[in-house]
Amino acid sequence: MVYELIDKYYGDNPELKRILVTHSEQVRDRALAIIDAHPEWEVDRLFVAEAAMLHDIGIFLCNAPKIYCTGTHAYIEHGYLGAEILRNEGLPRHALVAERHTGTGISLDQVLREELPIPVQDYLPVSLEEKIICYADKFYSKSHLGEEVALSKIRYNIWKYGHDAIVRWDELTELMGEANRK
């Protein structure tokens, strides 16, 4: 089902499809490794695998030429745009992951304060599955495929989004059991 959906929206753009699939597989694999490291968690493993593969389904609608995205929307919009696609495909839980994975999540306060070009609402990950995918996503860039970003560099990059974002990152790192990793 996952690859069929990706084909449906990316079949005419093989370079972007390759980037999306590679990135999403990296995120999926890390998310599943995190789950494996936490047998005490009651997590829907199949859902995490699917949602990790589909979390960026909306990027083709955005303007990001370096990764072959030729849409008209700002890149920050890919989360809610992807959520709309997934809701229309009958995947409401997957849609929440797409909507809430950007950064460490985006608070309603941040949307208003920064006048972000996204619908005014809260975009913070809520479920454990959403948090796992949000966290795993930060380790892989679509513009540097195959490379894993160091934990310290992720934290440094998140700092520019403010104190609340870095607090959320530190909470995610602690939750995932990786707070002492470099």
Side-chain angles (χ1 to χ4, degrees):
M1 172 269 293
V2 167
Y3 289 99
E4 290 82 7
L5 265 179
I6 292 170
D7 279 342
K8 179 177 179 179
Y9 293 97
Y10 290 81
D12 64 343
N13 191 336
E15 271 306 302
L16 179 54
K17 179 181 170 184
R18 180 185 65 78
I19 290 168
L20 174 69
V21 168
T22 300
H23 168 75
S24 299
E25 287 174 344
Q26 290 174 309
V27 172
R28 177 202 60 205
D29 293 348
R30 184 176 196 92
L32 294 176
I34 290 168
I35 292 170
D36 290 343
H38 292 280
E40 73 278 11
W41 289 350
E42 292 184 23
V43 177
D44 184 340
R45 186 181 175 84
L46 176 60
F47 169 72
V48 168
E50 291 174 352
M53 288 300 298
L54 297 172
H55 76 280
D56 276 334
I57 194 80
I59 62 172
F60 75 97
L61 296 167
C62 300
N63 181 16
K66 289 182 180 178
I67 58 168
Y68 304 95
C69 295
T70 57
T72 57
H73 294 271
Y75 195 77
I76 195 165
E77 295 179 84
H78 79 278
Y80 89 84
L81 293 169
E84 288 176 4
I85 291 168
L86 294 171
R87 285 187 184 96
N88 289 335
E89 293 289 346
L91 299 168
R93 281 180 68 207
H94 299 69
L96 290 173
V97 172
E99 203 167 65
R100 298 173 177 170
H101 81 278
T102 303
T104 57
I106 303 170
S107 69
L108 174 59
D109 178 63
Q110 184 180 358
V111 173
L112 294 169
R113 185 179 63 248
E114 297 179 21
E115 299 179 359
L116 298 176
I118 57 180
V120 177
Q121 67 180 49
D122 194 76
Y123 296 91
L124 298 175
V126 175
S127 73
L128 182 54
E129 289 89 348
E130 292 166 9
K131 291 175 182 179
I132 292 167
I133 295 167
C134 178
Y135 178 80
D137 183 46
K138 302 308 156 281
F139 288 87
Y140 307 101
S141 163
K142 285 176 279 303
S143 58
H144 295 96
L145 288 178
E147 297 176 21
E148 182 175 309
V149 181
L151 197 59
S152 58
K153 183 169 183 185
I154 296 168
R155 190 173 194 284
Y156 177 80
N157 291 340
I158 288 172
W159 187 252
K160 66 185 165 196
Y161 298 107
H163 178 73
D164 292 347
I166 204 72
V167 167
R168 286 192 301 271
W169 175 251
D170 289 345
E171 289 170 353
L172 286 173
T173 305
E174 184 71 30
L175 177 64
M176 301 307 152
E178 298 188 340
N180 296 320
R181 253 187 73 214
K182 296 289 181 207

